[in-house]
Amino acid sequence: MVLAVAILIISVIVGIIFIPKLKKQQDTKGIVVISILLLIGTALNMAIALKIHIPSPLDLITFIFTPIRDYILSLSK
């Protein structure tokens, strides 16, 4: 739990450092991109700190391509 709070504090500090600089430059696209990436990174790191199982992207790829592989193999027999 302490690690999750530390991750949240670090993320807030990073946001406090970078977002005002981008506001000063009136870079709204940069603000949106940094906010989204910081939010995703914070959420994933907090989930890891709280020992929540996060599935690998490879699981989705395997789920999609296994039936295709099986079909192609059945054609070659």
Side-chain angles (χ1 to χ4, degrees):
M1 187 69 168
V2 174
L3 189 58
V5 173
I7 291 169
L8 186 62
I9 291 171
I10 291 170
S11 297
V12 168
I13 291 170
V14 168
I16 288 172
I17 291 171
F18 285 107
I19 291 180
K21 291 179 185 178
L22 292 172
K23 275 188 180 180
K24 188 176 180 182
Q25 297 173 356
Q26 296 179 347
D27 187 11
T28 55
K29 290 180 184 178
I31 293 172
V32 170
V33 169
I34 285 180
S35 298
I36 290 171
L37 291 175
L38 189 60
L39 181 67
I40 291 170
T42 303
L44 288 173
N45 280 309
M46 286 182 70
I48 289 170
L50 297 173
K51 298 187 185 329
I52 297 173
H53 174 70
I54 301 170
S56 169
L58 186 60
D59 294 339
L60 177 65
I61 294 169
T62 304
F63 177 75
I64 292 171
F65 285 107
T66 300
I68 296 170
R69 180 187 64 109
D70 292 341
Y71 177 71
I72 292 172
L73 286 176
S74 71
L75 289 177
S76 66
K77 289 183 182 182

